[in-house]
Amino acid sequence: YKKGQTIIIMKVAIVGSRKYDNKLKIKEFIFQCKEQFGDKLEIVSGGCKYGADKFAKQVSMELDLRYVEFPPAHFPHNQFCIREAFNYGKPYAVWNYFKRNKEIANYSDMVVGFIPEGVESNGTRNTLNHAENFNKKVIIIN
């Protein structure tokens, strides 16, 4: 690092179905990213307690990676939230998820959707569609 030089962080969003249960596949993907980007890697998640989001967080902690999350506005603020605390603790509304999905897509450099075979994952598809609209790299893994 030289003075005036920009440090580029590769922000990889891991999104997916709440029913996604293949932690090993997520771990292998994140490990490949770590091999490629080293300490310039940041994992981004929606902060759900189940499925792909849960595993993205667990693996990030296990591998000691930068980790940030975008929970929907009706969730409580936590130490991993990239948005300020005043954005949280709002009343439940389904559109909180869709607003958050767009923020994840906009913030990230790449969005990876983990969707099990035969599962309709509307939230994941919504995030991937936003990512495509923002011209971000999109990968889908079953």
Side-chain angles (χ1 to χ4, degrees):
Y1 175 77
K2 297 181 186 110
K3 193 173 178 188
Q5 186 180 16
T6 306
I7 298 174
I8 303 294
I9 301 296
M10 182 63 173
K11 300 175 199 143
V12 178
I14 304 290
V15 299
S17 167
R18 291 185 188 107
K19 294 184 171 93
Y20 196 85
D21 62 1
N22 191 339
K23 180 180 179 179
L24 184 60
K25 203 173 261 194
I26 290 176
K27 188 170 190 167
E28 286 169 351
F29 180 82
I30 292 175
F31 188 77
Q32 287 174 350
C33 290
K34 183 179 181 183
E35 293 285 291
Q36 186 173 355
F37 303 111
D39 62 357
K40 309 270 188 290
L41 175 64
E42 179 177 272
I43 300 299
V44 182
S45 161
C48 184
K49 290 175 176 49
Y50 311 100
D53 289 14
K54 170 183 151 182
F55 297 136
K57 184 174 190 171
Q58 284 179 353
V59 171
S60 296
M61 298 300 115
E62 288 167 15
L63 298 177
D64 198 27
L65 298 172
R66 288 174 209 257
Y67 172 82
V68 299
E69 62 188 34
F70 287 84
H74 55 273
F75 277 39
H77 182 266
N78 70 62
Q79 71 196 55
F80 302 108
C81 291
I82 190 114
R83 298 165 68 232
E84 300 88 356
F86 68 82
N87 291 292
Y88 295 96
K90 307 280 190 232
Y92 172 84
V94 73
W95 59 80
N96 291 343
Y97 288 104
F98 295 104
K99 183 176 181 223
R100 171 281 302 271
N101 294 346
K102 187 172 185 177
E103 291 172 343
I104 290 171
N106 188 37
Y107 177 82
S108 303
D109 299 306
M110 178 192 327
V111 179
V112 185
F114 286 86
I115 306 171
E117 206 65 54
V119 170
E120 269 302 309
S121 189
N122 295 329
T124 304
R125 295 272 177 217
N126 177 255
T127 309
L128 297 171
N129 290 341
H130 284 303
E132 286 171 352
N133 292 338
F134 289 129
N135 295 312
K136 306 295 176 98
K137 183 175 175 64
V138 171
I139 299 171
I140 297 173
I141 298 174
N142 297 115

